Amino acid sequence: FIFSFNIGAEELSSWGQLVKRGNTYFKKSDNKPFTGVLKNFFETGELSVIDHFKNGKQHGNFKSFHRNGELSMEGEFIEGKQNGEWSEFYDNGSLYWKLEYINGKKEDGLFRMYHKNGAIKSEVLYENDRPASNWVYYDENGKKERIDFYEDGKFFYEKYFD
C-alpha cells in the first residue's frame, strides 16, 4: 500500500482568499501561488466546494455540493486542466451530464444531458472540443422540443417544435 497525503498542507476556507492572475491562483495574504486545499462554504455553513491546488494550479480532485449536501459536480484537474470523467448532478442525486476531458478539452463523441427523471434532455456530437452536429433537445417524455443548428462548431439558429 502506498499512502500519500500532505501533513500540514494549507487549507483555505473561501475563494475570497485567492486571486487569479492568468491561469494561476495566488494567496492574497502572501501573493504566492497556492498549494493546498480550498474548502468553500455557503453563507449558511454547508460545504459548497472542495478543491486541490499545486503551485497555483487546480490539481487533484474537485467536488462541489448542493445546499442539501448532495454532490453537485465532481472531476479531476491536472495542472489546471480538466482531465478524465467529469459529472454534474441534480440536487436529488440524479445525473445531469457526464463528459470525458483530455488535457482540458472535451473528448470527441456523443454528449448527453438528462432530466431529473433520467430521460435524455439533449444530445450533441463533439469533435475538436466543439459541437460537430446539431444539438437536439427533448422534453421529460422524450418528445423533441428544439434543435440548435451549428455550422463549423458555432451556433447558427434554433428551431422549436410544437
Side-chain angles (χ1 to χ4, degrees):
F1 288 101
I2 297 175
F3 292 100
S4 168
F5 55 91
N6 291 337
I7 296 176
E10 188 163 6
E11 188 173 301
L12 299 180
S13 61
S14 171
W15 281 106
Q17 294 174 276
L18 295 173
V19 61
K20 187 175 183 181
R21 290 196 296 273
N23 291 322
T24 304
Y25 289 89
F26 294 85
K27 273 181 47 190
K28 287 182 179 177
S29 63
D30 63 12
N31 206 30
K32 292 181 180 174
F34 178 59
T35 295
V37 178
L38 169 71
K39 289 185 178 178
N40 200 63
F41 297 86
F42 291 110
E43 323 69 67
T44 49
E46 301 90 358
L47 182 63
S48 66
V49 169
I50 298 175
D51 200 359
H52 297 80
F53 294 81
K54 181 179 176 184
N55 300 322
K57 308 282 188 207
Q58 289 172 289
H59 189 82
N61 293 326
F62 171 91
K63 288 185 179 184
S64 65
F65 301 89
H66 292 284
R67 285 185 181 274
N68 68 2
E70 287 284 340
L71 188 61
S72 173
M73 186 180 292
E74 71 176 335
E76 182 180 20
F77 284 101
I78 295 179
E79 296 182 4
K81 295 179 181 177
Q82 291 171 293
N83 207 63
E85 184 176 290
W86 278 72
S87 302
E88 186 171 2
F89 303 90
Y90 287 103
D91 60 3
N92 69 354
S94 63
L95 181 66
Y96 180 44
W97 59 260
K98 178 171 53 174
L99 270 174
E100 288 283 333
Y101 284 87
I102 299 172
N103 200 26
K105 296 187 185 291
K106 295 173 191 79
E107 189 174 66
D108 289 353
L110 184 64
F111 169 60
R112 284 188 171 144
M113 296 170 69
Y114 300 90
H115 289 283
K116 272 189 173 184
N117 69 2
I120 295 171
K121 182 175 189 166
S122 71
E123 54 189 5
V124 64
L125 186 64
Y126 265 92
E127 287 179 8
N128 299 316
D129 202 30
R130 62 188 199 170
S133 70
N134 297 326
W135 202 315
V136 183
Y137 292 82
Y138 305 92
D139 68 14
E140 291 181 345
N141 297 314
K143 184 180 174 198
K144 194 181 293 182
E145 286 185 315
R146 175 179 109 224
I147 297 178
D148 288 354
F149 291 87
Y150 283 80
E151 249 180 46
D152 297 321
K154 294 181 180 164
F155 175 75
F156 188 60
Y157 71 96
E158 60 191 11
K159 178 181 178 182
Y160 287 84
F161 297 90
D162 291 334

